[in-house]
Amino acid sequence: MNSTPPSARAYERLVQRLADDVGTATAVSWAHATAVAHHCVRHGLVSTTEPPTSPDAVRRILDELAGAHPGLAGFLDPQVVPLWTSPPNTASWTALAEFWEAGAAIDDGPHRVDGYRLGDAYQALSHDARRSRALCQTPPWIAELLLELSLEPATDEVGPQNVRMIDPACGTGHILLSAFHAARVYRRRGRGHGVPIDARASIERALRTVHGVDLDPYAVLLARYRLLATSASILRGRLDQLPHSWPVQVACANSLLDRGEPLLERGQYHCVVGNPPYITVADAQQRDLIRKAYPRVAAGKFPLALPFCELMFSLAVPGGHVAQLTSNAFMKREFGRKFVTEYLPQFDMRWVIDTSGAYIPGHGTPTVILCHRVRPPQGDTVITVRGVQGEPAIPADPARGKVWSAIAEAVRRRLAEDRLKEALTHPHWIA
């Protein structure tokens, strides 16, 4: 099996080839849903053992997925999965089948069912998701650092049975999957090592910890699939063997404006993590609604990152942890003046990490990591990791790029020093 994902141009050509037959939206649906069908068959997540060799076979697998768990019912909804409205002709199906035959972009590795490549494939296939809904995946190695700075201390404070986290712009679930794994295997540092983990109890606990919201209904469905597929894989079973009572708390809604979605109720999360969209809103009516809802931060030609920042703070409990990878444009543009001088000083800023020089696939915008506690500032110290220069060349493995490696090392060294100081201050914590 070829382990190299197809190029962006290869995805584009596939969609163009299918779109001539069924239209662009349905082409994206057929292309990606066929990948999902291959994924769940290869990993034994459905009763079918044969890979899909026809459009009807893909539809049968999706039908089984939809009935496996309430969270997957959307696979039968033509508004979410448009392939139900139009089958491809023979030539189009042949092109599609050949594209996925090697499984290049389906599997993350021989023992991984997380679906990171499935998420990346949807971003690559759907121009509309990228442009109109600002879908941009957060690489797992960035998600893990964001969670170390937020979910881990939040869990230390309130306990693994109580902690709740949300990504209000979750896309296909890259951050959610990293949070699921972190929650499932959580042990307070320095304690409990060697104690066996009850797989079923830890999975249910992790599913109850993790929440997500996104504007894209198919991305939401895919995030649900990934969480449940990973759960089933850990138990070495099929999706239909998971208890229907196990929650998969990912909802489709406009996070900035939908006040009726229960997952967006303010003040209920100990940890809020995200990579919010950086785009500006082209639709004037939508832009005015957002400006009215977030007058403290939505000034001038504001990008969505600023109202999302306010939303993230509002979703957190008092004292909650907020970590975000966001555009650094607010530091340099006029629309960010009020945000920097009036809004951010109300909160306890803990970290400012310059990631503008790091190579992050799919992110052409210079970025920064901001970490806050939702409380008034405590003291006059903010920990910063400041950039010196960018990558000398595009790294073969972005997670091991020189700039990102230096960032991760600096952050983790400081976290280790802080834990040591805390342990020496409270020696009864060392057990």
Side-chain angles (χ1 to χ4, degrees):
M1 180 185 298
N2 181 6
S3 62
T4 304
S7 67
R9 180 57 183 151
Y11 283 116
E12 184 180 335
R13 285 197 300 266
L14 176 65
V15 172
Q16 288 174 344
R17 172 67 184 81
L18 298 177
D20 291 339
D21 177 23
V22 296
T24 300
T26 305
V28 172
S29 183
W30 271 110
H32 199 272
T34 300
V36 171
H38 277 286
H39 184 268
C40 61
V41 170
R42 284 182 182 166
H43 293 289
L45 301 173
V46 289
S47 61
T48 303
T49 59
E50 295 296 324
T53 55
S54 68
D56 285 344
V58 172
R59 286 172 163 174
R60 284 193 296 271
I61 291 170
L62 298 187
D63 184 74
E64 183 174 349
L65 282 178
H69 188 281
L72 302 179
F75 277 111
L76 285 182
D77 185 347
Q79 298 297 314
V80 179
V81 185
L83 64 78
W84 294 101
T85 63
S86 182
N89 62 30
T90 301
S92 295
W93 171 256
T94 299
L96 179 56
E98 290 176 351
F99 186 84
W100 293 121
E101 190 175 27
I106 299 174
D107 293 325
D108 303 293
H111 307 295
R112 298 294 297 271
V113 191
D114 311 74
Y116 284 105
R117 285 190 172 180
L118 280 178
D120 290 343
Y122 178 56
Q123 177 181 322
L125 287 164
S126 179
H127 179 273
D128 186 52
R130 295 194 305 274
R131 298 300 181 188
S132 301
R133 298 185 291 278
L135 179 68
C136 191
Q137 306 292 106
T138 307
W141 35 278
I142 291 183
E144 288 164 7
L145 188 66
L146 290 171
L147 293 165
E148 283 183 49
L149 292 165
S150 55
L151 180 59
E152 185 172 318
T155 310
D156 289 345
E157 291 164 10
V158 303
Q161 299 295 339
N162 302 313
V163 69
R164 293 165 59 89
M165 73 76 63
I166 188 171
D167 178 355
C170 68
T172 67
H174 275 22
I175 290 176
L176 299 186
L177 264 293
S178 293
F180 170 87
H181 288 301
R184 190 179 70 82
V185 301
Y186 169 82
R187 288 189 176 103
R188 189 180 181 95
R189 289 180 185 264
R191 290 191 168 195
H193 295 282
V195 178
I197 294 176
D198 182 311
R200 294 183 70 86
S202 68
I203 290 169
E204 183 175 8
R205 183 185 71 231
L207 288 172
R208 294 189 183 281
T209 294
V210 173
H211 305 72
V213 179
D214 199 83
L215 188 62
D216 186 321
Y218 185 76
V220 165
L221 180 61
L222 184 57
R224 294 173 181 171
Y225 168 78
R226 293 176 59 192
L227 287 167
L228 292 170
T230 302
S231 301
S233 176
I234 294 168
L235 297 175
R236 301 181 183 277
R238 298 195 310 265
L239 285 160
D240 62 0
Q241 295 169 330
L242 296 177
H244 283 197
S245 61
W246 281 7
V248 54
Q249 302 173 111
V250 189
C252 181
N254 184 328
S255 291
L256 290 176
L257 297 176
D258 189 342
R259 296 304 295 266
E261 168 53 51
L263 296 189
L264 294 172
E265 181 181 337
R266 285 7 183 199
Q268 63 171 325
Y269 297 100
H270 306 97
C271 169
V272 185
V273 185
N275 177 12
Y278 312 152
I279 62 171
T280 56
V281 179
D283 182 84
Q285 183 178 8
Q286 190 84 346
R287 186 170 60 248
D288 289 343
L289 289 173
I290 295 172
R291 195 189 305 277
K292 183 178 179 181
Y294 300 89
R296 293 190 291 174
V297 299
K301 294 183 178 180
F302 65 92
L304 288 178
L306 299 195
F308 260 100
C309 181
E310 181 176 343
L311 169 69
M312 293 172 77
F313 288 159
S314 70
L315 290 170
V317 300
H321 296 256
V322 177
Q324 57 185 307
L325 174 73
T326 191
S327 166
N328 70 9
F330 72 88
M331 300 177 177
K332 302 174 285 186
R333 306 280 179 81
E334 182 62 29
F335 65 73
R337 181 183 299 275
K338 185 177 180 181
F339 182 69
V340 170
T341 60
E342 298 180 22
Y343 183 74
L344 286 182
Q346 301 174 74
F347 301 97
D348 187 16
M349 179 178 282
R350 309 304 299 164
W351 290 81
V352 178
I353 303 169
D354 179 8
T355 50
S356 61
Y359 175 68
I360 306 175
H363 289 63
T365 302
T367 55
V368 62
I369 289 175
L370 302 177
C371 298
H372 290 81
R373 299 290 300 272
V374 183
R375 62 188 184 188
Q378 311 285 302
D380 56 3
T381 300
V382 176
I383 305 170
T384 64
V385 178
R386 301 168 67 182
V388 177
Q389 63 185 54
E391 291 287 354
I394 295 177
D397 180 358
R400 299 178 184 275
K402 293 181 180 296
V403 174
W404 180 257
S405 296
I407 290 170
E409 180 183 357
V411 171
R412 288 173 174 140
R413 184 191 306 121
R414 177 56 188 257
L415 289 174
E417 291 172 356
D418 288 347
R419 283 191 292 267
L420 177 60
K421 291 176 183 177
E422 188 176 42
L424 293 174
T425 304
H426 305 280
H428 62 282
W429 285 9
I430 306 175

